[in-house]
Structures are given as C-alpha cells and as structure tokens.
Amino acid sequence: MLLVVIPTYNEIDNIRLIVPAVMAVIPPDASILVADDASPDGTGEAVKEMQTNFPGRLYLKEGSGKQGLANAYISSFKWAMDKANVGGKEFDVFLEMDADFSHKPEYIPLMLKELDSHDVVIGSRNIKGGAVEGWSALRNFISKGGSLYSRMVLSCPIRDLTGGFNMWTRKALDRIGLDSIISKGYSFQIEMKYRAYKAGCSIKEIPIVFPDRQRGKSTMDKGIFTEALKAVWKIRKECCGKRSSRQLVKRYIFLHLTFLEYAFAGIFMKKATLCGGLNVKALMFFCTGIILFGGYSILWQQVLKRFPLSVAMANKPVCLLWGTLFGFFLFGEAVTLRFLIGVAFIVTGIIIVSGEKRDA
C-alpha cells in the first residue's frame, strides 16, 4: 500500500492543485500525507478543508515550525508506520515528492511498476531521457556539479543523488535505519540513497523531466547547498567507519595499479600520435592501449568489485581521456617505469593518509 509524503511550508498556491492531481494517478487504496511545518500562509488549513473530499486517504501532520527536510520525512515515515495514526493501515511503499509540480504526478505509476522488482526507485534528472526545464545554465551546472561531487566523494554510482523524487519500500527504509540518519537538511536525500546503496538495496533510476516551479517561492538557497556539500564528508565518515590495516594495504595496492593503468594508456596514445599520421603502426599502438586499459579495468572489477575506483571510474570514457592527457602532458617522452611507480606510490600514499574511509 502506497503513501505519498509531501512536505510543505507556505505552499498554499500549490497544495490545492497537487493533492487532487496525485490522487488521480495513485491506486484507490493509496493515501497522501502532507507534513506541514506550521505554514503561516494557511497551507495546513487548506489540507484540512480537502480532507472531506478524500475521506480516509488524506492525512495532515502538523509541525511546530520549520524543522528541515530530514525531520519532515523521517518523522512522517515513522508516523505513518504507527497504525494507530492511519486507521490501522499498513503502508509498505513510501514516495517522497514536492508540492510545486517539479515532481510530476504522471511518473508515479511507472515508479510503482519498477518497484515490483527493486527496493528503491529514483526519479532522475541526470540519466538519458532526464532533464530540467526553466533553469538557468548556472543553476543547472551547480545541481549537476553537486551530484557529481557527491558521487565522487562517496564512490556511489547513483546519478541523481540530490533529487527528491524517490520511492522506497518499507524493507529499504528498515535496512537504511531511519534512526541512523545524521543529515538535517538538503543532504538528507544524498544520505538516504547512499545508505540504501551501502545496505545492498536494489536501486533503479528512471528518467524524469524536472520543470521549475511556477507558483510559490522555493525554500532552497546557496547556504543549504553549501551545507550539503560539506555534509557529504560527514556522511562518508559515518557510513564507512575506520578501515583495518589489511584493507588499507589492499586499497593502496589497487590505487597505485589503477594509477599506472591510466598512465600507460596515455603513453600508448602518445606513441600512436608520434607515428607519422594514421598508419598500421599508429593503429597498433592505439589498439594496444585500448586493450590494456579496458582489459585491466575489467580484471580489477572482477577481482575487487567493492573498490570504489573500479566502480566509479574504470569503464568511463573520461578515464581514457584522463590517461591520454596524463601521458601527453605530464610525462612527455622521457618517461621511465621507475618514475611512474614512484609518482603512483606518492599519490596513493597521500590519498590514504588524507583519510580514505571507504571500506573494501
């Protein structure tokens, strides 16, 4: 049974529209819970008026003031899991969505269908078919950059870590552990998805088009975004803990081998460009670099599947570009194996000493 959770603060212009729009696409036994943080514009009162139109399906949980996104969702999940609050109903699917139509209700049936075979379904702006509408180039860059930054820090393959249109099974929420969440604001979405990934939940991203709000005022600001970027490091530390000496040694070995892989790929690319144009010799060097680069990546993914660099970098075209540039501009032609190994050990030593906490 589905429960749609919609947190609100001063959404009087949207709430009277979003509730019937969602009700029109969800199953007859599904419900909506509006978590209102004592909106001074009367959002809560508007929900109470609509409850007569949707008896037993529209709930209101009123807070004492602005408590933040994390508190709104976590308290709502826990509130709904108490059967006494919802007339004995037992909800096993929970959907997070905004009230401003940035999360289109029309995607809900598809998300429910995907949840038949997954634990978590994410409405993603950052995969093929996903997009945003009405955003400036700067805002779009900041959003995608924040998601990419989080993925790199956490070594997590989820493309849209910061998005708020997410559907969870109760099993996934239990595995995450709502009481373990440390985030208070915008980073809540990042932490929830990362914990689901770490817990081994099956996660599916579906493409969505995310339009900018047409009514009301967004509660997002630069301070919230900055706080989220800082919180990513706390999330990684909290979720990963300390590593054993054996894990550090394995990580050290893997990192310097991967580093060498990129460097050698770049060197082969450079050799190809020095062969006097496109000819058999140049093609041979080029293909050798591709084979070594790709084969080595696949090998290490199979042997050490849990290492984040393998997951986050090995099969990405950007790594081939990185290896190429590395060979072109950093080493030139006067490169020796001893120099490569020395640089690799120094770099990976710095990485480990600076506090790599990701467990193997």
Side-chain angles (χ1 to χ4, degrees):
M1 191 180 300
L2 168 67
L3 178 69
V4 181
V5 181
I6 304 176
T8 59
Y9 186 78
N10 286 346
E11 293 287 1
I12 189 66
D13 294 330
N14 291 303
I15 198 64
R16 289 192 176 95
L17 301 174
I18 192 66
V19 168
V22 172
M23 286 293 188
V25 298
I26 60 178
D29 62 348
S31 302
I32 296 175
L33 170 61
V34 177
D36 186 61
D37 278 349
S39 298
D41 69 349
T43 299
E45 294 301 317
V47 174
K48 292 177 182 177
E49 295 172 6
M50 288 188 290
Q51 284 180 319
T52 58
N53 298 327
F54 306 101
R57 298 185 65 199
L58 178 59
Y59 301 97
L60 173 66
K61 187 179 74 65
E62 295 182 284
S64 57
K66 290 191 70 174
Q67 300 294 320
L69 186 67
N71 179 75
Y73 275 125
I74 292 174
S75 62
S76 295
F77 293 154
K78 292 180 176 179
W79 184 90
M81 290 176 185
D82 185 346
K83 294 182 182 180
N85 294 324
V86 291
K89 295 181 180 179
E90 187 170 355
F91 295 106
D92 55 3
V93 176
F94 299 85
L95 173 65
E96 304 171 354
M97 70 179 298
D98 294 341
D100 61 4
F101 285 91
S102 292
H103 302 147
K104 297 181 179 181
E106 64 195 60
Y107 292 115
I108 296 177
L110 175 59
M111 297 177 81
L112 278 170
K113 182 179 179 181
E114 291 291 347
L115 208 68
D116 290 339
S117 54
H118 298 88
D119 301 313
V120 182
V121 178
I122 298 169
S124 178
R125 303 159 294 180
N126 298 336
I127 62 174
K128 185 177 181 180
V132 296
E133 293 179 342
W135 282 19
S136 66
L138 178 61
R139 183 180 176 189
N140 197 17
F141 174 79
I142 291 174
S143 175
K144 290 186 180 298
S147 199
L148 178 60
Y149 169 83
S150 301
R151 288 173 58 205
M152 292 176 64
V153 171
L154 299 175
S155 299
C156 180
I158 298 172
R159 299 293 299 274
D160 197 344
L161 279 169
T162 59
F165 197 20
N166 312 301
M167 186 174 286
W168 314 84
T169 61
R170 181 161 182 169
K171 180 180 73 172
L173 295 181
D174 289 340
R175 293 172 73 174
I176 290 169
L178 295 176
D179 291 331
S180 66
I181 300 297
I182 62 172
S183 299
K184 302 299 181 184
Y186 186 63
S187 58
F188 165 77
Q189 302 291 5
I190 301 173
E191 183 177 357
M192 286 284 287
K193 293 169 190 170
Y194 182 54
R195 285 186 180 274
Y197 167 68
K198 290 278 288 179
C201 294
S202 174
I203 301 172
K204 173 71 174 180
E205 293 188 83
I206 65 167
I208 64 167
V209 176
F210 184 98
D212 197 11
R213 68 162 56 230
Q214 300 298 314
R215 294 170 292 274
K217 183 179 180 181
S218 174
T219 57
M220 287 291 297
D221 57 39
K222 294 180 180 179
I224 294 176
F225 182 78
T226 303
E227 176 270 331
L229 296 185
K230 294 179 180 178
V232 169
W233 294 93
K234 295 180 181 178
I235 293 169
R236 189 181 75 162
K237 182 178 180 180
E238 178 70 19
C239 294
C240 297
K242 293 184 177 180
R243 311 174 70 181
S244 68
S245 298
R246 184 177 179 181
Q247 288 174 331
L248 286 174
V249 170
K250 288 172 64 179
R251 175 68 168 165
Y252 184 78
I253 293 172
F254 172 75
L255 279 173
H256 90 257
L257 288 175
T258 305
F259 185 86
L260 287 174
E261 171 197 350
Y262 299 152
F264 280 122
I267 292 169
F268 275 105
M269 298 304 104
K270 186 175 182 67
K271 288 288 186 181
T273 64
L274 297 176
C275 292
L278 183 61
N279 52 43
V280 175
K281 189 176 180 181
L283 186 61
M284 180 183 69
F285 274 114
F286 184 82
C287 291
T288 303
I290 293 292
I291 292 170
L292 287 179
F293 181 83
Y296 203 75
S297 297
I298 293 171
L299 171 64
W300 276 105
Q301 282 191 85
Q302 295 303 312
V303 175
L304 301 169
K305 291 182 179 179
R306 298 299 295 176
F307 281 94
L309 273 183
S310 176
V311 175
M313 298 178 69
N315 280 333
K316 303 297 182 183
V318 69
C319 287
L320 185 59
L321 175 62
W322 160 245
T324 304
L325 294 176
F326 194 86
F328 275 21
F329 301 115
L330 295 187
F331 288 118
E333 296 184 73
V335 57
T336 66
L337 181 60
R338 186 191 312 175
F339 181 62
L340 277 174
I341 294 175
V343 172
F345 272 82
I346 291 172
V347 171
T348 52
I350 292 173
I351 292 173
I352 291 174
V353 171
S354 65
E356 273 290 328
K357 302 296 183 183
R358 179 72 152 82
D359 59 347

